[in-house]
mmCIF file of all heavy atoms in Angstrom:
data_model
loop_
_atom_site.group_PDB
_atom_site.id
_atom_site.type_symbol
_atom_site.label_atom_id
_atom_site.label_comp_id
_atom_site.label_asym_id
_atom_site.label_seq_id
_atom_site.Cartn_x
_atom_site.Cartn_y
_atom_site.Cartn_z
ATOM 1 N N LEU A 47 4.856 -8.250 -11.181
ATOM 2 C CA LEU A 47 6.009 -7.658 -10.527
ATOM 3 C C LEU A 47 5.627 -6.769 -9.352
ATOM 4 O O LEU A 47 6.475 -6.215 -8.699
ATOM 5 C CB LEU A 47 6.787 -6.830 -11.556
ATOM 6 C CG LEU A 47 7.199 -7.604 -12.802
ATOM 7 C CD1 LEU A 47 7.858 -6.662 -13.783
ATOM 8 C CD2 LEU A 47 8.108 -8.755 -12.457
ATOM 9 N N GLN A 50 1.923 -7.044 -4.745
ATOM 10 C CA GLN A 50 0.828 -7.975 -4.589
ATOM 11 C C GLN A 50 1.128 -9.334 -5.207
ATOM 12 O O GLN A 50 0.310 -10.231 -5.169
ATOM 13 C CB GLN A 50 -0.424 -7.401 -5.258
ATOM 14 C CG GLN A 50 -0.423 -7.475 -6.786
ATOM 15 C CD GLN A 50 0.376 -6.379 -7.459
ATOM 16 O OE1 GLN A 50 1.052 -5.609 -6.804
ATOM 17 N NE2 GLN A 50 0.299 -6.294 -8.763
ATOM 18 N N ALA A 60 -0.515 -12.081 -14.230
ATOM 19 C CA ALA A 60 -0.765 -11.103 -15.272
ATOM 20 C C ALA A 60 0.010 -11.468 -16.525
ATOM 21 O O ALA A 60 1.120 -11.976 -16.441
ATOM 22 C CB ALA A 60 -0.342 -9.719 -14.792
ATOM 23 N N LEU A 64 1.489 -7.400 -21.035
ATOM 24 C CA LEU A 64 0.968 -6.160 -20.485
ATOM 25 C C LEU A 64 1.941 -5.488 -19.540
ATOM 26 O O LEU A 64 1.688 -4.389 -19.062
ATOM 27 C CB LEU A 64 -0.349 -6.445 -19.743
ATOM 28 C CG LEU A 64 -1.500 -6.959 -20.607
ATOM 29 C CD1 LEU A 64 -2.744 -7.150 -19.752
ATOM 30 C CD2 LEU A 64 -1.797 -6.016 -21.763
ATOM 31 N N LEU A 65 3.050 -6.152 -19.233
ATOM 32 C CA LEU A 65 3.992 -5.606 -18.278
ATOM 33 C C LEU A 65 5.262 -5.087 -18.948
ATOM 34 O O LEU A 65 6.255 -4.829 -18.294
ATOM 35 C CB LEU A 65 4.363 -6.682 -17.241
ATOM 36 C CG LEU A 65 3.204 -7.182 -16.389
ATOM 37 C CD1 LEU A 65 3.695 -8.278 -15.461
ATOM 38 C CD2 LEU A 65 2.588 -6.057 -15.589
ATOM 39 N N ALA A 66 5.225 -4.920 -20.274
ATOM 40 C CA ALA A 66 6.438 -4.550 -20.997
ATOM 41 C C ALA A 66 6.855 -3.108 -20.756
ATOM 42 O O ALA A 66 8.010 -2.779 -20.907
ATOM 43 C CB ALA A 66 6.226 -4.789 -22.493
ATOM 44 N N ALA A 67 5.931 -2.231 -20.394
ATOM 45 C CA ALA A 67 6.269 -0.821 -20.221
ATOM 46 C C ALA A 67 5.660 -0.304 -18.928
ATOM 47 O O ALA A 67 4.627 0.350 -18.944
ATOM 48 C CB ALA A 67 5.773 0.000 -21.412
ATOM 49 N N PRO A 68 6.260 -0.608 -17.781
ATOM 50 C CA PRO A 68 5.719 -0.124 -16.512
ATOM 51 C C PRO A 68 5.744 1.392 -16.451
ATOM 52 O O PRO A 68 6.655 2.037 -16.972
ATOM 53 C CB PRO A 68 6.653 -0.735 -15.468
ATOM 54 C CG PRO A 68 7.923 -1.012 -16.201
ATOM 55 C CD PRO A 68 7.514 -1.363 -17.596
ATOM 56 N N THR A 69 4.733 1.968 -15.839
ATOM 57 C CA THR A 69 4.665 3.419 -15.749
ATOM 58 C C THR A 69 5.750 3.965 -14.832
ATOM 59 O O THR A 69 6.194 3.308 -13.903
ATOM 60 C CB THR A 69 3.302 3.867 -15.209
ATOM 61 O OG1 THR A 69 3.099 3.278 -13.920
ATOM 62 C CG2 THR A 69 2.182 3.470 -16.135
ATOM 63 N N VAL A 70 6.153 5.196 -15.092
ATOM 64 C CA VAL A 70 7.119 5.890 -14.236
ATOM 65 C C VAL A 70 6.567 7.223 -13.756
ATOM 66 O O VAL A 70 7.264 7.982 -13.081
ATOM 67 C CB VAL A 70 8.455 6.101 -14.974
ATOM 68 C CG1 VAL A 70 9.092 4.764 -15.301
ATOM 69 C CG2 VAL A 70 8.273 6.948 -16.230
ATOM 70 N N GLY A 71 5.315 7.510 -14.094
ATOM 71 C CA GLY A 71 4.684 8.745 -13.675
ATOM 72 C C GLY A 71 3.224 8.733 -14.074
ATOM 73 O O GLY A 71 2.726 7.766 -14.670
ATOM 74 N N LEU A 72 2.520 9.818 -13.749
ATOM 75 C CA LEU A 72 1.083 9.887 -14.009
ATOM 76 C C LEU A 72 0.677 11.272 -14.485
ATOM 77 O O LEU A 72 1.133 12.293 -13.951
ATOM 78 C CB LEU A 72 0.295 9.582 -12.730
ATOM 79 C CG LEU A 72 0.272 8.145 -12.220
ATOM 80 C CD1 LEU A 72 -0.352 8.111 -10.835
ATOM 81 C CD2 LEU A 72 -0.494 7.253 -13.171
ATOM 82 N N GLY A 81 -0.880 6.766 -17.619
ATOM 83 C CA GLY A 81 0.489 6.493 -17.229
ATOM 84 C C GLY A 81 1.494 7.184 -18.127
ATOM 85 O O GLY A 81 1.255 7.402 -19.320
ATOM 86 N N VAL A 82 2.618 7.536 -17.548
ATOM 87 C CA VAL A 82 3.731 8.110 -18.292
ATOM 88 C C VAL A 82 4.753 7.010 -18.523
ATOM 89 O O VAL A 82 5.229 6.387 -17.571
ATOM 90 C CB VAL A 82 4.380 9.277 -17.527
ATOM 91 C CG1 VAL A 82 5.597 9.806 -18.277
ATOM 92 C CG2 VAL A 82 3.364 10.393 -17.285
ATOM 93 N N PRO A 84 8.424 5.260 -19.768
ATOM 94 C CA PRO A 84 9.825 5.680 -19.645
ATOM 95 C C PRO A 84 10.294 6.537 -20.810
ATOM 96 O O PRO A 84 11.064 7.484 -20.616
ATOM 97 C CB PRO A 84 10.573 4.346 -19.576
ATOM 98 C CG PRO A 84 9.585 3.378 -18.994
ATOM 99 C CD PRO A 84 8.270 3.797 -19.577
ATOM 100 N N LEU A 163 -4.301 8.358 -8.504
ATOM 101 C CA LEU A 163 -4.672 6.936 -8.491
ATOM 102 C C LEU A 163 -6.041 6.703 -7.871
ATOM 103 O O LEU A 163 -6.599 5.604 -7.996
ATOM 104 C CB LEU A 163 -3.618 6.137 -7.722
ATOM 105 C CG LEU A 163 -2.244 6.064 -8.391
ATOM 106 C CD1 LEU A 163 -1.201 5.536 -7.411
ATOM 107 C CD2 LEU A 163 -2.289 5.192 -9.643
ATOM 108 N N ALA A 171 -6.175 2.688 -7.116
ATOM 109 C CA ALA A 171 -5.285 1.785 -7.834
ATOM 110 C C ALA A 171 -3.937 1.749 -7.131
ATOM 111 O O ALA A 171 -3.402 2.787 -6.748
ATOM 112 C CB ALA A 171 -5.104 2.244 -9.277
ATOM 113 N N ALA A 172 -3.383 0.550 -6.979
ATOM 114 C CA ALA A 172 -2.055 0.435 -6.369
ATOM 115 C C ALA A 172 -1.009 1.111 -7.226
ATOM 116 O O ALA A 172 -0.050 1.697 -6.716
ATOM 117 C CB ALA A 172 -1.708 -1.037 -6.152
ATOM 118 N N GLY A 173 -1.170 1.026 -8.524
ATOM 119 C CA GLY A 173 -0.285 1.650 -9.495
ATOM 120 C C GLY A 173 -1.027 1.725 -10.808
ATOM 121 O O GLY A 173 -2.154 1.222 -10.932
ATOM 122 N N TRP A 174 -0.397 2.300 -11.828
ATOM 123 C CA TRP A 174 -1.126 2.505 -13.088
ATOM 124 C C TRP A 174 -0.513 1.695 -14.229
ATOM 125 O O TRP A 174 -0.328 2.168 -15.336
ATOM 126 C CB TRP A 174 -1.211 3.984 -13.437
ATOM 127 C CG TRP A 174 -2.422 4.294 -14.267
ATOM 128 C CD1 TRP A 174 -2.445 4.679 -15.571
ATOM 129 C CD2 TRP A 174 -3.786 4.218 -13.849
ATOM 130 N NE1 TRP A 174 -3.738 4.850 -16.020
ATOM 131 C CE2 TRP A 174 -4.590 4.575 -14.965
ATOM 132 C CE3 TRP A 174 -4.427 3.869 -12.657
ATOM 133 C CZ2 TRP A 174 -5.989 4.599 -14.913
ATOM 134 C CZ3 TRP A 174 -5.814 3.906 -12.598
ATOM 135 C CH2 TRP A 174 -6.574 4.266 -13.707
ATOM 136 N N THR A 175 -0.191 0.463 -13.928
ATOM 137 C CA THR A 175 0.288 -0.495 -14.918
ATOM 138 C C THR A 175 -0.549 -1.757 -14.766
ATOM 139 O O THR A 175 -0.891 -2.128 -13.633
ATOM 140 C CB THR A 175 1.773 -0.829 -14.677
ATOM 141 O OG1 THR A 175 2.553 0.357 -14.871
ATOM 142 C CG2 THR A 175 2.280 -1.900 -15.644
ATOM 143 N N PRO A 176 -0.925 -2.432 -15.847
ATOM 144 C CA PRO A 176 -1.681 -3.681 -15.702
ATOM 145 C C PRO A 176 -0.991 -4.621 -14.717
ATOM 146 O O PRO A 176 0.217 -4.804 -14.738
ATOM 147 C CB PRO A 176 -1.692 -4.242 -17.118
ATOM 148 C CG PRO A 176 -1.626 -3.033 -17.992
ATOM 149 C CD PRO A 176 -0.705 -2.087 -17.270
ATOM 150 N N GLY A 177 -1.779 -5.229 -13.851
ATOM 151 C CA GLY A 177 -1.250 -6.027 -12.758
ATOM 152 C C GLY A 177 -1.294 -5.264 -11.444
ATOM 153 O O GLY A 177 -1.313 -5.866 -10.372
ATOM 154 N N TRP A 178 -1.336 -3.945 -11.527
ATOM 155 C CA TRP A 178 -1.446 -3.089 -10.346
ATOM 156 C C TRP A 178 -2.727 -2.262 -10.356
ATOM 157 O O TRP A 178 -3.059 -1.640 -9.357
ATOM 158 C CB TRP A 178 -0.273 -2.122 -10.272
ATOM 159 C CG TRP A 178 1.048 -2.709 -9.901
ATOM 160 C CD1 TRP A 178 1.634 -2.707 -8.665
ATOM 161 C CD2 TRP A 178 1.976 -3.356 -10.772
ATOM 162 N NE1 TRP A 178 2.859 -3.325 -8.715
ATOM 163 C CE2 TRP A 178 3.103 -3.738 -10.010
ATOM 164 C CE3 TRP A 178 1.976 -3.680 -12.131
ATOM 165 C CZ2 TRP A 178 4.199 -4.392 -10.536
ATOM 166 C CZ3 TRP A 178 3.062 -4.343 -12.670
ATOM 167 C CH2 TRP A 178 4.161 -4.688 -11.879
ATOM 168 N N LYS A 179 -3.451 -2.236 -11.469
ATOM 169 C CA LYS A 179 -4.641 -1.388 -11.579
ATOM 170 C C LYS A 179 -5.839 -2.035 -10.884
ATOM 171 O O LYS A 179 -6.892 -2.271 -11.500
ATOM 172 C CB LYS A 179 -4.974 -1.135 -13.053
ATOM 173 C CG LYS A 179 -4.148 -0.058 -13.705
ATOM 174 C CD LYS A 179 -4.704 0.226 -15.100
ATOM 175 C CE LYS A 179 -3.848 1.217 -15.860
ATOM 176 N NZ LYS A 179 -4.390 1.483 -17.211
ATOM 177 N N TYR A 180 -5.676 -2.308 -9.627
ATOM 178 C CA TYR A 180 -6.732 -2.875 -8.803
ATOM 179 C C TYR A 180 -6.704 -2.191 -7.447
ATOM 180 O O TYR A 180 -5.722 -1.541 -7.075
ATOM 181 C CB TYR A 180 -6.543 -4.389 -8.628
ATOM 182 C CG TYR A 180 -6.506 -5.152 -9.927
ATOM 183 C CD1 TYR A 180 -5.334 -5.777 -10.340
ATOM 184 C CD2 TYR A 180 -7.620 -5.238 -10.754
ATOM 185 C CE1 TYR A 180 -5.278 -6.474 -11.543
ATOM 186 C CE2 TYR A 180 -7.574 -5.930 -11.962
ATOM 187 C CZ TYR A 180 -6.394 -6.550 -12.350
ATOM 188 O OH TYR A 180 -6.348 -7.232 -13.534
ATOM 189 N N TRP A 182 -6.517 -2.628 -3.562
ATOM 190 C CA TRP A 182 -6.189 -3.483 -2.417
ATOM 191 C C TRP A 182 -6.691 -2.788 -1.151
ATOM 192 O O TRP A 182 -6.331 -1.616 -0.915
ATOM 193 C CB TRP A 182 -4.678 -3.689 -2.308
ATOM 194 C CG TRP A 182 -4.123 -4.797 -3.130
ATOM 195 C CD1 TRP A 182 -3.822 -6.063 -2.701
ATOM 196 C CD2 TRP A 182 -3.764 -4.768 -4.512
ATOM 197 N NE1 TRP A 182 -3.312 -6.806 -3.737
ATOM 198 C CE2 TRP A 182 -3.266 -6.027 -4.866
ATOM 199 C CE3 TRP A 182 -3.831 -3.772 -5.493
ATOM 200 C CZ2 TRP A 182 -2.833 -6.331 -6.147
ATOM 201 C CZ3 TRP A 182 -3.403 -4.067 -6.781
ATOM 202 C CH2 TRP A 182 -2.909 -5.343 -7.082
ATOM 203 N N ARG A 222 -8.026 -8.193 -3.609
ATOM 204 C CA ARG A 222 -8.048 -7.012 -4.462
ATOM 205 C C ARG A 222 -9.306 -7.076 -5.298
ATOM 206 O O ARG A 222 -9.864 -8.164 -5.533
ATOM 207 C CB ARG A 222 -6.812 -6.948 -5.362
ATOM 208 C CG ARG A 222 -6.655 -8.174 -6.259
ATOM 209 C CD ARG A 222 -5.428 -8.105 -7.137
ATOM 210 N NE ARG A 222 -5.372 -9.257 -8.037
ATOM 211 C CZ ARG A 222 -4.556 -9.361 -9.068
ATOM 212 N NH1 ARG A 222 -3.720 -8.379 -9.346
ATOM 213 N NH2 ARG A 222 -4.548 -10.426 -9.832
ATOM 214 N N SER A 463 10.776 -1.670 -11.238
ATOM 215 C CA SER A 463 9.347 -1.942 -11.287
ATOM 216 C C SER A 463 8.600 -0.652 -11.616
ATOM 217 O O SER A 463 9.108 0.191 -12.344
ATOM 218 C CB SER A 463 8.871 -2.563 -9.970
ATOM 219 O OG SER A 463 7.542 -3.020 -10.084
ATOM 220 N N ILE A 464 7.397 -0.486 -11.075
ATOM 221 C CA ILE A 464 6.568 0.659 -11.447
ATOM 222 C C ILE A 464 6.785 1.847 -10.522
ATOM 223 O O ILE A 464 7.325 1.725 -9.434
ATOM 224 C CB ILE A 464 5.073 0.285 -11.434
ATOM 225 C CG1 ILE A 464 4.612 0.017 -9.988
ATOM 226 C CG2 ILE A 464 4.802 -0.883 -12.329
ATOM 227 C CD1 ILE A 464 3.133 0.132 -9.798
ATOM 228 N N ALA A 465 6.342 2.986 -10.956
ATOM 229 C CA ALA A 465 6.274 4.187 -10.136
ATOM 230 C C ALA A 465 5.147 5.055 -10.712
ATOM 231 O O ALA A 465 4.978 5.095 -11.934
ATOM 232 C CB ALA A 465 7.599 4.939 -10.164
ATOM 233 N N PRO A 466 4.381 5.697 -9.874
ATOM 234 C CA PRO A 466 4.436 5.638 -8.410
ATOM 235 C C PRO A 466 3.684 4.424 -7.869
ATOM 236 O O PRO A 466 2.815 3.878 -8.542
ATOM 237 C CB PRO A 466 3.720 6.924 -7.995
ATOM 238 C CG PRO A 466 2.678 7.111 -9.072
ATOM 239 C CD PRO A 466 3.355 6.666 -10.355
#
Side-chain angles (χ1 to χ4, degrees):
L47 305 176
Q50 75 280 7
L64 296 182
L65 297 177
T69 58
V70 296
L72 288 170
V82 176
L163 293 167
W174 207 248
T175 296
W178 287 261
K179 280 188 185 180
Y180 302 113
W182 274 262
R222 58 180 184 168
S463 189
I464 68 159

